[in-house]
Amino acid sequence: MYAGRAVEIGSSGGETSRGSALKPSFLEAVMLVERVHRRFLDVVKDELERLRRADVNSVQAVLLYNIGDSELSAGELKSRGYYLGSNVSYNIKKLTEAGFIVQERSLQDRRSIRIRLTESGRAVAAIVANLYERNARTLSEVGVLDVADLRQMTTALQRLDRFWDDQIRYRM
């Protein structure tokens, strides 16, 4: 049972016709999620270029936005879903070298390194925040998506996220 629905598996353990019918839409959705994320990073890149900010890339700018006013470890960044990709350590190192992040040992656990934004890091985070605000306003004005569309999409993506999390956690 998943999200209130029975999962159908054929007697041979293979897909049923329902699963076969779902597969093309499922694959298209997975590819679309990846493409939309890449496109969003391109939008952030264009905004940084427009503002002549060559000192940070789009992935790093979104990472700075996601850190915000928090003080976190690199592991917390990934576990909270704030960062996509395997090179979080590389970007933290680069952002520290560029003066966007400060790294300090945790007072509670000396083995753990906590990161937080500097004033420069907060300035870049503000650029991304303004971009989010402008995009939300424009979506509303143009009528591309409304609140109901976004809520439905978010619900579907949350279900898919939970499904994949269960796949990993329970080795389904």
Side-chain angles (χ1 to χ4, degrees):
M1 194 84 155
Y2 196 81
R5 294 183 207 127
V7 177
E8 295 182 23
I9 298 176
S11 58
S12 64
E15 306 176 321
T16 64
S17 60
R18 182 175 168 189
S20 296
L22 186 67
K23 185 177 176 183
S25 296
F26 168 71
L27 294 176
E28 183 178 3
V30 169
M31 288 188 296
L32 186 58
V33 166
E34 183 180 1
R35 186 168 66 233
V36 167
H37 178 67
R38 280 194 319 268
R39 184 103 50 217
F40 171 70
L41 291 176
D42 288 343
V43 168
V44 174
K45 177 180 176 263
D46 287 347
E47 181 71 2
L48 293 170
E49 288 174 355
R50 188 180 69 75
L51 297 172
R52 293 177 172 73
R53 293 297 305 247
D55 53 346
V56 62
N57 66 39
S58 59
V59 171
Q60 293 167 341
V62 172
L63 179 59
L64 292 170
Y65 171 83
N66 287 331
I67 294 169
D69 292 330
S70 300
E71 188 174 301
L72 317 151
S73 70
E76 287 171 319
L77 279 174
K78 288 183 81 172
S79 68
R80 293 182 186 185
Y82 290 166
Y83 186 79
L84 301 174
S86 59
N87 54 359
V88 66
S89 299
Y90 171 82
N91 279 314
I92 288 174
K93 178 182 175 205
K94 290 296 182 185
L95 289 167
T96 301
E97 290 170 358
F100 295 112
I101 289 178
V102 172
Q103 294 186 50
E104 297 174 335
R105 292 228 174 259
S106 170
L107 296 175
Q108 291 78 23
D109 180 358
R110 301 298 295 166
R111 297 169 296 171
S112 176
I113 296 179
R114 311 292 290 171
I115 60 172
R116 62 181 166 77
L117 301 185
T118 63
E119 279 301 314
S120 298
R122 283 193 284 282
V124 173
I127 290 169
V128 177
N130 291 334
L131 179 62
Y132 279 143
E133 179 65 35
R134 195 170 68 242
N135 275 218
R137 190 174 51 250
T138 304
L139 275 172
S140 175
E141 291 168 357
V142 175
V144 173
L145 294 168
D146 63 18
V147 172
D149 293 330
L150 291 171
R151 284 184 180 152
Q152 185 177 6
M153 180 175 53
T154 300
T155 298
L157 290 171
Q158 287 169 335
R159 287 178 179 166
L160 185 58
D161 182 49
R162 261 192 316 271
F163 173 75
W164 281 336
D165 187 52
D166 288 349
Q167 295 290 300
I168 295 164
R169 182 173 288 143
Y170 304 115
R171 298 181 184 246
M172 297 171 73

